Amino acid sequence: MAASSSILPESGATQNAYSRKQKSLGLLCSNFLGLYNREGVQSVGLDDAANRLGVERRRIYDIVNILESVGVLARKAKNQYTWKGFGAIPRALDELKVEGLKDNHSFSDGNDHGKQFSDDEDERYSSQNSGSRPDKTNQVVTQNSSSSSKPDNRREKSLGLLTQNFIKLFLCSNMKLISLDDAAKLLLGDGHGSTIMRTKVRRLYDIANVLISMNLIEKTHHTENRKPAFRWIGLRGKLENDSSTSLSKSNKRSFGTEITNIDFKRSRLDSASVGKSMFGVKVQEPVQVKCESLGYEDEKIMGHDSKVKTYEFGPFAPINVSRVQTTENKPKQVHDWENLATVYRPQYQNPALKELFGHYKDAWHTWHSEVVKK
DNA sequence: GGTTCCCGCCAATTT
DNA sequence: AAATTGGCGGGAACC
């Protein structure tokens, strides 16, 4: 077994090692997006997604829940989601902003204690759905005196809600940079066991990663090199870059191949008895964000139209999409917001509005006037 | 050392 | 009942 002259000056020929980064949620999300963000896609099946991306179902749930919280997807039925597309994001964000501001009166006076800003509200009136059961729409808040039982609507701790609240932080406060610790602290109240906090932060990491892959936020640091924090990019998340991308690759019916996802496991520990004590403490400490002025909307979006169709598929790149080489060594996925909403476009009118909250016509319009800015 | 965060157990929920 | 959906946190990869 001579030492095969490996290309890399690495140690022994450790062919393929487990790489955590290649399994990241963010990358998976990028692939997911690249896979379903095509014309013609209207629904996505969880099994299908899991298969094509070569991951376990569990991971798909994470992504789907987050995407749904931003409007990109909508649950249709068991195992079935409707692809709304990126065009639905502006609308969703507006609603989140309104909710966030409304539900948050921290201002003069001190005590607020109304309730946190949970609550969603993105329930589309099922146009033709069926069995509209009376369902228990909101939470009960019946803060009964029961000792500790708290059916604690599981929903309150859902990834989706957390995502929305996390986003509200950016939209409704004037904080420019938010660290996950701050976010967790804000969304959680204050005094808390480090355990609860840590768990929340874990979730926020997950969320942050997919939001990053969507270019809604960006990771940075406070000042030069301080603690990491995130900055809201939102709609103006576009790239300048050149426009050498002449024609778009003809990705018609190319995909459909098998997934070739390498299957390395991280390791195989086992026997880990559970036994832990977790508290189901409900927190309702209102965030003390000041809604002074709208955070964004204070400057024109870039002009010019640049077409950058760069998708980067990582390890689990199932389909064969235009594989673009990375920039250097810093994987950076870029999504072309322009193309994303280019599919269909209602042809009536075009209110040259900017983006006043409160009323929106069509996702596409808002979207286009914002992003395309033609 | 601290930070990041994947994996998957297993409990809620839905079918 | 089974299947789907997803909290949750250990602990390993990563810095």
Side-chain angles (χ1 to χ4, degrees), chain A residues 10 12 35 81 93 127 152 154 187 196 204 208 212 230 232 301 318 321 337 347:
Chain A
E10 259 294 73
L35 188 56
Y81 275 78
L93 293 183
S127 37
D152 233 354
R154 200 153 194 253
L187 298 174
I196 304 292
L204 287 172
I212 286 174
F230 297 84
W232 178 255
I301 304 76
V321 192
W337 296 90
Q347 41 185 294

Side-chain angles (χ1 to χ4, degrees), chain A residues 48-55 256-262 316-319:
Chain A
D48 181 59
N51 288 331
R52 297 168 74 169
L53 294 171
V55 294
T257 50
E258 211 73 335
I259 24 75
T260 323
N261 183 36
I262 38 182
F316 7 57
I319 55 181

Side-chain angles (χ1 to χ4, degrees), chain A residues 227-245:
Chain A
K227 295 304 176 187
F230 297 84
R231 167 184 295 119
W232 178 255
I233 297 176
L235 277 29
R236 57 163 90 83
K238 292 220 57 307
L239 285 298
E240 60 293 350
N241 216 325
D242 62 290
S243 57
S244 57
T245 318

Side-chain angles (χ1 to χ4, degrees), chain A residues 24-248:
Chain A
S24 73
L25 250 196
L27 191 55
L28 181 61
C29 183
S30 291
N31 292 335
F32 182 96
L33 260 23
L35 188 56
Y36 292 103
N37 187 45
R38 295 183 185 336
E39 30 205 305
V41 177
Q42 292 167 22
S43 63
V44 352
L46 299 186
D47 286 301
D48 181 59
N51 288 331
R52 297 168 74 169
L53 294 171
V55 294
E56 316 77 71
R57 203 57 125 44
R58 184 67 194 78
R59 298 284 71 84
I60 299 298
Y61 288 129
D62 289 333
I63 290 180
V64 153
N65 285 329
I66 295 175
L67 290 180
E68 180 182 33
S69 74
V70 187
V72 175
L73 289 173
R75 202 203 308 316
K76 192 191 340 177
K78 186 181 79 171
N79 275 90
Q80 285 280 288
Y81 275 78
T82 298
W83 173 262
K84 293 290 189 174
F86 290 79
I89 293 180
R91 173 79 166 284
L93 293 183
D94 278 348
E95 290 180 1
L96 286 179
K97 177 151 194 163
V98 173
E99 288 171 29
L101 293 175
K102 173 190 65 181
D103 203 12
N104 185 76
H105 290 265
S106 59
F107 217 163
S108 48
D109 294 60
N111 287 328
D112 185 80
H113 69 278
K115 63 187 294 256
Q116 58 188 40
F117 40 178
S118 53
D119 147 68
D120 56 80
E121 218 285 77
D122 44 38
E123 243 292 311
R124 197 93 302 150
Y125 319 122
S126 336
S127 37
Q128 62 207 224
N129 207 319
S130 59
S132 53
R133 41 355 207 326
D135 65 61
K136 44 44 193 261
T137 322
N138 295 322
Q139 73 275 37
V140 193
V141 196
T142 316
Q143 194 166 24
N144 259 342
S145 56
S146 302
S147 43
S148 63
S149 73
K150 214 169 287 162
D152 233 354
N153 294 321
R154 200 153 194 253
R155 180 60 185 284
E156 292 180 12
K157 298 176 177 179
S158 71
L159 245 199
L161 217 76
L162 219 202
T163 301
Q164 298 188 321
N165 288 332
F166 181 54
I167 290 177
K168 285 177 182 177
L169 243 38
F170 287 102
L171 299 180
C172 306
S173 76
N174 34 23
M175 296 173 77
K176 192 61 163 63
L177 263 41
I178 302 178
S179 70
L180 297 188
D181 280 304
D182 291 337
K185 206 160 299 184
L186 288 170
L187 298 174
L188 220 46
D190 224 350
H192 266 234
S194 56
T195 305
I196 304 292
M197 259 277 288
R198 195 178 308 130
T199 295
K200 193 104 303 185
V201 171
R202 280 204 200 93
R203 269 5 353 131
L204 287 172
Y205 273 117
D206 296 337
I207 293 171
N209 284 329
V210 341
L211 291 183
I212 286 174
S213 80
M214 294 173 78
N215 272 315
L216 285 177
I217 63 173
E218 186 170 44
K219 185 174 185 175
T220 10
H221 299 71
H222 273 126
T223 62
E224 274 305 332
N225 44 350
R226 243 328 90 149
K227 295 304 176 187
F230 297 84
R231 167 184 295 119
W232 178 255
I233 297 176
L235 277 29
R236 57 163 90 83
K238 292 220 57 307
L239 285 298
E240 60 293 350
N241 216 325
D242 62 290
S243 57
S244 57
T245 318
S246 48
L247 332 169
S248 56

